[in-house]
Amino acid sequence: MKVSRGDVEHIMKLAYLDLKGEEKEKMIHHFSRILEYFAKLQELDTANVEPLSHVIEESTPLRDDEVGEGLSQEDVLGMAPDKEGGYIKVPRIV
Amino acid sequence: MELKPVIGLEIHCQLLTKTKLFCSCPTDYVGREPNTIVCPVCLGLPGSLPVLNKEALKLALRAALALNCTILKKTRFHRKNYFYPDLPKAYQISQYDIPLAVNGYLVIDGKRIRIRRVHMEEDAGKLVHPTKTGRLEGAEYSLVDFNRCGVPLIEIVTEPDISSPEEARNFVMELRSLVQHLGVSDGNMEEGSLRCDANISISVDGKFGTKTEIKNMNSFKAIERALAYEINRHMEVILSGGEVIQETRHWDDSKGITTSLRGKEEAHDYRYFPEPDLLPLFISDEMVSEISKTMPELPWDRRNRWKMDFGLGDYEVFVLSSSKVLGDFFDACVREIGKPKEVSNWIQVELLRIVDDLRLKIEDCYFAIPYLKEVLELLEKGVINNQVAKAVFEESIRERRAPIDIVKSKGLEQVSDEEALKDAVKRVLEENEDAVKSYLSGKDKAFNFLLGQVMKVTKGKANPAVVRKVLEEELKALS
């Protein structure tokens, strides 16, 4: 299955990635290989197989609704590249 | 050509848990310093793992059951991927192909509005835009507060069964009342703990049209206005031979219009996949039956009880059930006082007005229950008349003073003594010769004027029935 340049550019946009021309070509190749592999898998007859999303068939653990310790504001803001008055400052969105 | 509006709603409710959906950070973010109730889990720091809040699950199930949904025995969470600064993980943990519950309904004015699904998800953070309007457009930069990040939500999605803006508003009102009665959410639209988006299209001769999604409707009134506006806009496009564009639109409440959000929310491609950090979720029959057994009284059961046990009418029960706190207050009053019809009337006519004037909250008015009880007793015993009773009730709440004290200290007791009232009546008749003449010449309206005058000179304290009797006698004597 051939992946187009447009497909790669769409994925780039969704992933917030900026790739150069030759990198795009490389991605077209990689993506195609991945899809070829899945195409191979799809040859299998799975009509009577339940879809599997998790390998452990157990219910996810539950937590009691009790408040615990979090991070300090100082620690949170310390991880951010920029801040202003307790907030994290981010570049223009649109 | 037959044009019909087709409306479906998506409603998000914040759940009343102490902690977030997947971590133990508190949820009371309103009024908090920014970025002070966050942790590695809700910030999505590497190596952290989400663990589902049991209480959030219970509340979500309670809502789903009250909405007559089928609970799915095996459900799971998905990652909804998108980049936006209010979402530190760059994905929201939500539910996709297998939600918690499906196929329910809510009855609005006798009509079933079907519920397509109810699912759990986490809230995003809050953005502050340093522009005059607070809107994103034109902001040089934005500020992020992650306190709300990870707060548990349920999303309730209806089928497109709603056919008018009014019906949409009634649906959201009833849903809000429901989640309040269930203790699932406080349902506060102004603070955003209940948010409503709408999908709207116009069917032409029974064929579905292109839909638009409307966001930012922050009150019941806004829902009605925004939908009415959007229906008109669609109709105009269709009738002029154009085509409605599928897009998301923003309701601007101050301008009363919707504007396109294209560009900002282009080409949604969320690349959902099962959340690998959580196992699937199995809902046991025991859990469901436990929740069914502990279901509180639902708004429609409450309304029926008021109708059957108290003989209240449709409109009365509609007003009293419009919010849970009001219904609770009414029930508390009836427990204390009895007389449900009178109590209902006094709450709706007097108390709601007083509360509004004095800027009180109903939930802070329990102190007024003994006052209402006393006012009703004074009224029943004929100690005060109706007009005085209303004024005394208001004053008792304002001054936090027992009605009997007010009546005594101001000498407001009703005067029912015929002899005492005769003097007042005679004086009024002497001072209002014209009115007397016009009454005697057959103009009955003058009688009420004279009665009003007697009430005035007795400072409203006279027993109106006795005044009426004395006045009739005295006028008869003149004719």
Side-chain angles (χ1 to χ4, degrees), chain B residues 47-214:
Chain B
S48 64
L49 280 175
V51 186
L52 183 61
N53 183 341
K54 194 188 208 168
E55 184 64 16
L57 174 60
K58 283 185 178 172
L59 294 180
L61 285 170
R62 199 188 282 173
L65 287 171
L67 288 166
N68 310 291
C69 288
T70 304
I71 309 292
L72 298 184
K73 289 192 189 301
K74 183 184 171 185
T75 171
R76 60 179 174 186
F77 289 93
H78 266 71
R79 287 188 184 180
K80 179 179 178 176
N81 298 280
Y82 63 94
F83 283 108
Y84 207 64
D86 61 6
L87 196 70
K89 296 200 291 282
Y91 60 85
Q92 177 194 32
I93 304 179
S94 181
Q95 296 197 276
Y96 183 53
D97 55 353
I98 315 173
L100 185 69
V102 295
N103 294 340
Y105 63 88
L106 183 63
V107 177
I108 304 299
D109 297 327
K111 173 177 163 185
R112 266 190 193 197
I113 308 293
R114 290 171 300 156
I115 308 289
R116 181 180 297 169
R117 57 187 278 150
V118 176
H119 77 241
M120 286 182 281
E121 62 184 29
E122 52 179 355
D123 210 342
K126 273 194 165 177
L127 293 175
V128 177
H129 308 296
T131 51
K132 264 187 205 149
T133 55
R135 281 190 68 182
L136 172 63
E137 287 73 22
E140 288 301 317
Y141 61 92
S142 295
L143 300 171
V144 193
D145 172 11
F146 288 134
N147 283 347
R148 199 178 64 184
C149 240
V151 166
L153 302 174
I154 45 170
E155 181 176 321
I156 298 161
V157 184
T158 76
E159 295 292 343
D161 289 350
I162 298 166
S163 45
S164 74
E166 193 195 1
E167 197 169 81
R169 184 205 60 197
N170 289 343
F171 179 90
V172 181
M173 283 178 86
E174 181 72 342
L175 187 70
R176 184 183 75 148
S177 179
L178 178 64
V179 294
Q180 286 178 343
H181 278 81
L182 292 171
V184 159
S185 175
D186 67 19
N188 188 326
M189 287 189 85
E190 289 73 34
E191 280 174 9
S193 47
L194 189 150
R195 286 166 246 160
C196 174
D197 299 334
N199 282 299
I200 177 160
S201 65
I202 304 290
S203 77
V204 180
D205 296 326
K207 251 179 68 187
F208 282 129
T210 307
K211 67 181 181 183
T212 56
E213 184 180 358
I214 314 173

Side-chain angles (χ1 to χ4, degrees), chain B residues 458-475:
Chain B
T458 56
K459 300 198 175 72
K461 294 185 294 182
N463 181 331
V466 180
V467 173
R468 179 172 288 274
K469 181 165 169 271
V470 174
L471 192 57
E472 273 169 1
E473 285 169 6
E474 292 297 316
L475 285 167

Side-chain angles (χ1 to χ4, degrees), chain B residues 370-381:
Chain B
Y371 296 169
L372 180 56
K373 187 178 182 186
E374 204 170 284
V375 166
L376 292 177
E377 278 167 6
L378 291 169
L379 197 55
E380 208 163 78
K381 287 182 192 151

